[in-house]
Amino acid sequence: AQQGIQVEQALVPVYKADMKPGFNVGYAAQNYFENGWLTGVLAKVEIPLFNKQVKKKIEAQKIQIEIASAGYEAVRLKSNQQLLSVENAIQLYAEGAKYYKEQLDFINPEIERISELNYRAGEISYLELLNTLDLLADNNKSYWEQALAYNKAVALYQFLSNQ
């Protein structure tokens, strides 16, 4: 986007050069078979009299510079918005991973211990024990999903912030 602004700015002096007088000097030589050599010198000065069209081009180019600047600002704002969005995702996934890690470290072992004791005592059936183990596996799976999402968000942040 910055390059686009510089390109548009570089065109203004090109258009302004059309309003300046032009000077040309030339030499020509041509050989005629019957009459010999024909030579000539040319000196030419061009003075632009009707500059309205060129002035309109310059004004239009200045508007193009403003458009390119607005485009740059839009790209910059979009990049900042993406960075903020990814930062929020990083925080969200970090909290989710922390929550499920606590589940795995403290609550899951206790649930497993209690359900095994109840199963051995005959207070719950085998299917209820399997449901409990399924819940423990879901907690474990959820933790790893949160950790994966966190790592992806960190990688995306590093990519977007060019780190």
Side-chain angles (χ1 to χ4, degrees):
Q2 285 177 334
Q3 235 177 1
I5 293 171
Q6 292 173 351
V7 167
E8 299 297 337
Q9 288 174 340
L11 288 175
V12 172
V14 172
Y15 291 145
K16 284 185 178 180
D18 289 342
M19 295 175 56
K20 296 178 182 176
F23 301 101
N24 288 327
V25 177
Y27 173 77
Q30 188 173 5
N31 186 7
Y32 285 100
F33 293 107
E34 297 172 5
N35 297 332
W37 286 93
L38 177 65
T39 60
V41 176
L42 171 70
K44 179 169 77 168
V45 176
E46 294 177 349
I47 300 173
L49 298 176
F50 305 104
N51 291 329
K52 189 172 184 178
Q53 182 182 8
V54 175
K55 288 179 182 177
K56 293 291 183 186
K57 277 185 182 180
I58 292 171
E59 289 176 18
Q61 193 59 35
K62 288 180 180 178
I63 292 172
Q64 283 297 113
I65 292 170
E66 291 176 14
I67 290 171
S69 297
Y72 168 74
E73 189 65 24
V75 168
R76 189 184 64 77
L77 289 174
K78 183 179 178 185
S79 297
N80 287 342
Q81 180 187 12
Q82 285 178 335
L83 281 175
L84 288 174
S85 174
V86 171
E87 285 176 1
N88 289 339
I90 288 172
Q91 291 175 353
L92 176 71
Y93 293 132
E95 288 297 318
K98 180 181 172 186
Y99 170 78
Y100 284 111
K101 183 67 174 166
E102 289 174 1
Q103 292 278 325
L104 291 177
D105 291 342
F106 303 113
I107 298 173
N108 279 9
E110 189 63 22
I111 291 174
E112 184 179 2
R113 186 184 69 80
I114 291 172
S115 57
E116 281 183 25
L117 289 174
N118 286 336
Y119 177 70
R120 286 186 187 148
E123 294 181 14
I124 62 172
S125 69
Y126 183 70
L127 288 177
E128 291 172 326
L129 176 65
L130 288 179
N131 284 338
T132 304
L133 294 176
D134 186 48
L135 174 68
L136 299 177
D138 285 344
N139 284 345
N140 196 7
K141 178 184 169 201
S142 296
Y143 167 72
W144 289 111
E145 287 174 347
Q146 290 292 316
L148 177 65
Y150 172 79
N151 288 336
K152 284 182 178 180
V154 168
L156 180 61
Y157 179 80
Q158 288 175 343
F159 173 75
L160 290 176
S161 64
N162 202 20
Q163 293 180 358

